[in-house]
Amino acid sequence: MDQAVKSEVILSVYIISFLIGLPANLLSLYAFSVKIHSRPLPTDILLLNLTVSDLLFLIILPLKMYEAASGMEWHLPSFLCSITSFTFFSTIYTSSLLLMAVSVVRYIGVAYPVTYHRLLKPVYAIIISAAIWLISAAHCSITFITQHHPTLSSKNSSVCYENFTEQQLKILLPLRVEFFFVLCLIPLLMCVYCYMRLILILYSRPRISRMQKQKAIGMASGTLAVFLICVLPYNVSHLMGYFMGKSPKWRYYTLLLSTFNTCIDPIIFYFSSSAFHCTSKKSIFRKQVLAVAGIQMQATSSS
C-alpha cells in the first residue's frame, strides 16, 4: 500500500477515535466520580480506572496524529516517542486486564454473594487496580529499554518504535509471545468463562427479570467484542511475528483496531451501571446480598 494512503487511513482512524472517545470517556469519568463519592463499589473503582486508562490513551493520541500527518515519521523529541509508545501500549493492556477483573467481580457477585459482600471494601478494588497498572507498566517498559538501552537503541531511526533492528527483535519477539498469553489470552478466557457462567446462573433464576438478563448478555457481548475486535487481532500479530522472525506488515492495521477500544468501553460502562449497580433497587447483587443477609439474620434469631 502507498505510504500516503497508509498515513491517511491511520490519521482518519485516530481522529474518529479521538472525537468519539474523548467526550464519551469524559462523561464516564464524571459519572463514576460522582458514584464513587456516594458509595464506592468494586466495579465502580475498576471501571473508573478503565476510564482513566482510556483518557490517557486519548491524551497522547494527538501526538500519534501528528506522526501520521508527517508520513509516519517522528519529528518530535525522542523522549516524547518513548512516553507516547509506553502510554499507547500500556493503556491497551491495562484496559484488557481491568475488563477481566470486572468480569470476575460480576461473576462472584452473582455466584457467591456472601463472598462478594465481604469484598465490598474499596481497598480490595484499589489494590487490584494498582496491581494491574503495575503489571502492564512493567511489561510495556520494554518500550524505554528498546529505545534507550546502549546496546539496543537505534540513533539514526526517523520513526517511532518501528523498523526494529535484529538485536531489538531478539528481545521483542519472545516478549510479545508472553504479551499474547499473559495480557490477552488469559484475560479473554477468564471473561468468557465468567460471563458465560453468569448468564447461565441468571437464566436459572426465575425471579430475575427478562430485561436484566438481556442487559447481562449485552454487557458480556460488549466486553467480548473489545477483546475479539480491539485486542485479539493485534496480539495475534505478536504470535505470527514470532514465527516469521519479524513484525508482520499488517501489524499496524490491527493496532488501529485497538484505538476503537476507547469508543466501545463507554458502551460497556452503560450496561454495567444500568444493569448491575448495587445501589439500584432492582440490582441483582443487592437482591442476592440482602437475601443472604436475611437468611443469616433468621438463623441468628432462631438460635
Side-chain angles (χ1 to χ4, degrees), residues 9-10 13-14 17 251-260:
V9 172
I10 293 172
V13 172
Y14 285 162
S17 299
R251 173 179 176 270
Y252 211 100
Y253 291 100
T254 61
L255 182 59
L256 290 180
L257 294 173
S258 299
T259 63
F260 286 119

Side-chain angles (χ1 to χ4, degrees), residues 7 17 32 45 58 60 66 85 89 100 109 119-120 123 131 191 197 199 204 206 210 228 236 244 263 276 281 295:
S7 300
S17 299
F32 284 114
I45 295 173
L58 291 165
I60 58 93
Y66 179 78
S85 300
F89 295 111
M100 177 191 69
L119 297 176
L120 283 178
V123 65
C191 283
R197 288 287 302 152
I199 291 171
S204 67
R210 180 181 178 84
L228 297 177
V236 169
M244 294 170 59
C263 303
F276 293 97
K281 292 181 179 180
I295 293 172

Side-chain angles (χ1 to χ4, degrees), residues 84 93 193 247:
T84 301
Y93 290 112
Y193 174 80
S247 299

